Amino acid sequence: MKKLLFIYNPHAGKELLKPKVSDIVDIFVKAGYEVTIYPTQAYHDAYRKVREYDPEEYDLVVCSGGDGTIDEVVSGMMKKKKRNPIGYIPTGTTNDFANSLHIPKGLLKAADNAVNGIVFPCDVGRFNQGTFVYIAAFGLFTDVSYETDQAMKNVLGHMAYLLEGAKRIFNVPSYRVKVSHDGEEFEDEFIFGMVTNSRSVGGFRNMVGKQVVFDDGLFEVTLIKKPRNPIELQEIIAALLIEQIDTKYMYTFKTGYISFESLEEIPWTLDGEFGGEHDYVELENMKQQLKIMVPEEHIEELMEKQEG
């Protein structure tokens, strides 16, 4: 019998998973798996669990939770020589990565996809010695997701992020950063930067460009320059709200490798979790290194949605 490790965060989102655990496990068993269940007990517990198990022990790892949970499971998996496929049941507040890969929103449909979907070789990011699944970012709003109170997130969802972000809009820090990629180097003052492999960020689509491919070895990079006055700041915010790239204030490009160098240490967020403060970071696209389960009907679109 095939073996499955099910790791879930019982506190993610609105705790919707708890009453459905029995139904979800039933789906796994009907798909031919013997199931080991592990509810996470603390921050970084999913990462520890994945690091410790013997990959020969399981055929599939399924995780359920928000962006933090999938980030921990993938980070742990990337440290292993043999990497099992990962199924994902999203229960977080925004679930950008899951939405991008067409992983179903309903818990039972997502559980079915986790065991009956198709393995998709997806790109994953290296951030210095660590890993990120779909976004590494600094600057404006990036601390919102880990500073916003969990109870507030549960009640308000997206609005919690917007309210928390709005509080600080008139006190925008900026960072002088030297950026290097593909033999090109430039320096500027930025209020925000993100390196992504997703079709939406914070629930907003098209902020990262419309032609996103998940297995091409390239990230989408968006860097927003420091506005010189309140009018420019308003124009930047307006461009973000209507989800369009305004090249007057932004750099946007694709790359497989990029580095950021600054005089001061800058706080980064990785998949919505605090990623430390750094004055030098290297980000590399590890092409097709993450094996994740996606719906069979979307596999061709995910693999072939090329530029043009």
Side-chain angles (χ1 to χ4, degrees):
M1 202 173 191
K2 295 178 293 182
K3 296 198 172 184
L4 182 155
L5 174 61
F6 180 36
I7 300 171
Y8 73 95
N9 177 356
H11 305 296
K14 301 182 178 70
E15 300 193 0
L16 295 171
L17 189 83
K18 280 184 179 178
K20 300 282 189 184
V21 168
S22 177
D23 293 333
I24 287 168
V25 172
D26 187 57
I27 288 169
F28 296 164
V29 172
K30 282 184 168 65
Y33 287 95
E34 183 180 304
V35 183
T36 300
I37 304 173
Y38 187 83
T40 58
Q41 303 297 303
Y43 175 68
H44 252 225
D45 199 22
Y47 173 79
R48 180 196 60 78
K49 183 67 177 171
V50 174
R51 283 299 311 271
E52 288 178 357
Y53 81 80
D54 179 352
E56 301 295 337
E57 214 177 317
Y58 297 103
D59 300 283
L60 178 67
V61 174
V62 178
C63 67
S64 183
D67 287 345
T69 304
I70 183 75
D71 179 81
E72 287 187 32
V73 169
V74 171
S75 295
M77 193 68 76
M78 295 306 293
K79 299 283 187 189
K80 302 178 100 61
K81 284 183 179 171
K82 183 191 173 191
R83 296 173 188 150
N84 302 106
I86 296 171
Y88 182 36
I89 303 171
T91 57
T93 313
T94 52
N95 303 314
D96 289 309
F97 183 65
N99 292 339
S100 293
L101 294 181
H102 300 290
I103 291 170
K105 289 184 173 67
L107 295 178
L108 301 185
K109 286 185 177 176
D112 181 72
N113 170 71
V115 287
N116 294 315
I118 300 288
V119 176
F120 173 57
C122 187
D123 296 347
V124 67
R126 176 179 71 80
F127 179 93
N128 287 350
Q129 303 309 309
T131 303
F132 67 100
V133 179
Y134 77 97
I135 181 170
F138 68 87
L140 185 69
F141 299 154
T142 54
D143 59 345
V144 168
S145 61
Y146 53 83
E147 283 194 358
T148 304
D149 179 75
Q150 183 62 50
M152 189 176 166
K153 279 194 214 177
N154 291 348
V155 173
L156 297 172
H158 276 104
M159 195 53 65
Y161 292 99
L162 295 175
L163 288 173
E164 190 68 30
K167 287 182 196 171
R168 67 194 73 198
I169 196 71
F170 298 108
N171 182 26
V172 180
S174 63
Y175 305 97
R176 188 94 197 158
V177 182
K178 183 162 75 176
V179 181
S180 304
H181 73 97
D182 304 304
E184 183 184 342
E185 199 174 270
F186 58 89
E187 194 171 324
D188 215 323
E189 196 95 6
F190 299 108
I191 59 168
F192 175 77
M194 64 179 178
V195 178
T196 59
N197 191 40
S198 176
R199 287 192 188 142
S200 69
V201 173
F204 290 96
R205 293 183 70 82
N206 302 334
M207 270 179 66
V208 291
K210 292 182 172 64
Q211 302 295 338
V212 177
V213 188
F214 298 98
D215 60 351
D216 62 352
L218 297 174
F219 295 126
E220 283 66 41
V221 180
T222 305
L223 303 170
I224 301 178
K225 301 179 203 177
K226 179 184 179 181
R228 290 168 297 187
N229 53 57
I231 293 170
E232 286 194 357
L233 177 58
Q234 291 302 323
E235 287 183 8
I236 289 169
I237 293 164
L240 294 176
L241 288 174
I242 62 171
E243 303 177 9
Q244 78 174 35
I245 301 298
D246 188 332
T247 51
K248 266 193 303 187
Y249 307 118
M250 303 180 196
Y251 294 89
T252 60
F253 53 90
K254 292 175 184 273
T255 186
Y257 172 88
I258 188 168
S259 69
F260 296 87
E261 191 175 353
S262 54
L263 289 174
E264 60 189 311
E265 291 195 331
I266 298 174
W268 283 76
T269 178
L270 306 177
D271 301 324
E273 302 292 319
F274 183 55
E277 298 189 0
H278 310 271
D279 55 14
Y280 182 77
V281 299
E282 290 183 321
L283 298 99
E284 181 185 4
N285 188 302
M286 294 185 283
K287 186 176 181 180
Q288 300 179 10
Q289 293 297 298
L290 167 61
K291 295 188 281 189
I292 190 154
M293 306 298 285
V294 302
E296 186 173 6
E297 63 267 29
H298 291 289
I299 191 79
E300 285 187 22
E301 176 206 343
L302 290 170
M303 295 178 82
E304 296 175 4
K305 190 159 183 155
Q306 302 295 334
E307 197 78 51

